């Protein structure tokens, strides 16, 4: 989004294709879960572009060479519970040794205000690149509070990944956390009166886990 330098919106045909299936109300739980993973993997590829690499010596069958690796312990994934859990495997597919923290937030259905109910992070969070993940960025309340909670616990290098965002959520995060790069696969039109994204995909947690 040109207005906010920390917001990156993917505009990739393959992601558009996958998101269109994800939105379909006839897409069942298994396919929904697989699509969330696939889209996350594609987004991870792009959002990891600037992670730190260290030189390592590798011996090929022919000779020794100096190559570049991401230090295993330098990346953490923190899903916002519950729906963020659906994105963890998508990051693990491309970076399987990333440590996983969890932050529990639920949105009060009447006030739409987020409430934190759980937080457990890997040791040394201050030195890691932390991928905070949640498929939905609606009012932005959950993401803003989760980012504040991570910073309060020492995280300094945070990236936030969401699959679908409303303009209201983007605005909220961009204003409250201008230091955090935000990667969004798809920017939707608006929020409805109940805080649901339009056209959206409904309740991501319920569709991932088969609840109502
Ligand atoms: C959803 C979603 C986000 C939040 C987004 O979670 O996964 O965490 O709402 O809304 P916001 O931007 O207005 O805060 P929900 O509270 O429904 O909990 P769940 O993941 O347990 O379903
Ligand atoms: N949370 C969801 O799961 N879906 C929305 O549209 C908004 C918040």
């Amino acid at each position: 989004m040109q207005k906010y330098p920390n917001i990156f919106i993917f505009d990739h045909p393959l992601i558009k294709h996958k998101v269109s299936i994800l939105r379909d109300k006839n897409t069942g739980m298994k396919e929904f879960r697989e699509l969330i993973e696939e889209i996350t993997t594609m987004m991870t590829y792009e959002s990891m572009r600037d992670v730190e690499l260290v030189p390592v010596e590798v011996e090929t069958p022919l000779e020794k060479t100096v190559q570049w690796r991401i230090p295993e312990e330098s990346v953490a994934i923190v899903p916002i519970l519950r729906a963020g859990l659906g994105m963890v495997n998508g990051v693990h597919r491309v970076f399987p040794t990333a440590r996983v923290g969890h932050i529990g937030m639920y949105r009060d259905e009447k006030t739409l205000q987020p409430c934190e109910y759980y937080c457990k992070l890997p040791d040394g969070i201050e030195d890691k690149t932390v991928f905070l993940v949640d498929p939905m960025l609606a009012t932005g309340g959950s993401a803003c509070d989760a980012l504040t909670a991570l910073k309060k616990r020492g995280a300094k290098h945070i990236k936030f990944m969401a699959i679908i965002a409303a303009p209201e959520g983007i605005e909220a995060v961009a204003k409250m956390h201008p230091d955090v790069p935000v990667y969004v696969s798809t920017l939707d039109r608006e929020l409805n009166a109940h805080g649901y994204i339009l056209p959206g995909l409904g309740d991501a947690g319920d569709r991932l886990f088969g609840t109502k």
Side-chain angles (χ1 to χ4, degrees):
M1 221 187 208
Q2 269 182 342
K3 194 168 159 197
Y4 300 111
N6 61 322
I7 307 289
F8 304 93
I9 296 174
F10 292 79
D11 191 25
H12 194 285
L14 192 52
I15 292 186
K16 283 187 176 164
H17 170 77
K18 302 274 178 191
V19 168
S20 81
I21 308 169
L22 192 68
R23 291 185 193 281
D24 191 328
K25 67 177 186 183
N26 297 313
T27 297
M29 186 175 71
K30 175 174 180 286
E31 196 180 359
F32 189 89
R33 196 169 54 231
E34 290 167 355
L35 285 161
I36 291 270
E37 264 187 52
E38 274 184 297
I39 296 164
T40 305
T41 300
M42 291 187 257
M43 294 175 73
T44 305
Y45 176 79
E46 216 24 65
S47 58
M48 274 198 166
R49 216 170 252 289
D50 61 351
V51 296
E52 177 206 9
L53 291 168
V54 294
V56 287
E57 194 176 81
V58 172
E59 198 169 345
T60 78
L62 300 175
E63 63 175 19
K64 283 188 179 163
T65 170
V66 174
Q67 297 293 309
W68 297 92
R69 290 206 183 145
I70 303 170
E72 281 194 10
E73 64 290 349
S74 70
V75 174
I77 314 164
V78 179
I80 301 180
L81 304 178
R82 283 175 308 163
L85 286 173
M87 297 174 74
V88 174
N89 285 350
V91 183
H92 267 158
R93 264 197 209 170
V94 281
F95 199 70
T97 54
R99 306 295 192 271
V100 183
H102 295 87
I103 182 153
M105 314 276 307
Y106 71 88
R107 211 168 65 136
D108 184 287
E109 287 188 0
K110 286 208 178 73
T111 64
L112 300 183
Q113 290 306 305
C115 310
E116 182 185 320
Y117 62 88
Y118 185 78
C119 188
K120 174 94 177 166
L121 302 175
D123 287 344
I125 199 76
E126 54 284 350
D127 299 320
K128 296 187 195 303
T129 299
V130 180
F131 286 83
L132 180 69
V133 295
D134 191 326
M136 308 305 277
L137 176 61
T139 64
S142 307
C144 283
D145 280 17
L147 287 166
T148 302
L150 287 177
K151 288 179 180 176
K152 209 168 71 190
R153 288 166 174 91
K156 293 192 183 70
H157 317 284
I158 315 173
K159 292 166 181 278
F160 176 58
M161 269 203 288
I163 293 182
I164 298 206
E168 295 87 335
I170 299 251
E171 184 118 11
V173 180
K175 285 192 175 149
M176 195 182 277
H177 297 283
D179 55 314
V180 174
V182 176
Y183 300 89
V184 167
S185 106
T186 306
L187 176 62
D188 269 10
R189 194 177 69 243
E190 61 184 343
L191 291 179
N192 71 10
H194 305 288
Y196 274 83
I197 301 175
L198 296 174
L201 48 71
D203 188 305
D206 285 352
R207 293 194 65 183
L208 272 166
F209 300 114
T211 52
K212 277 247 183 310

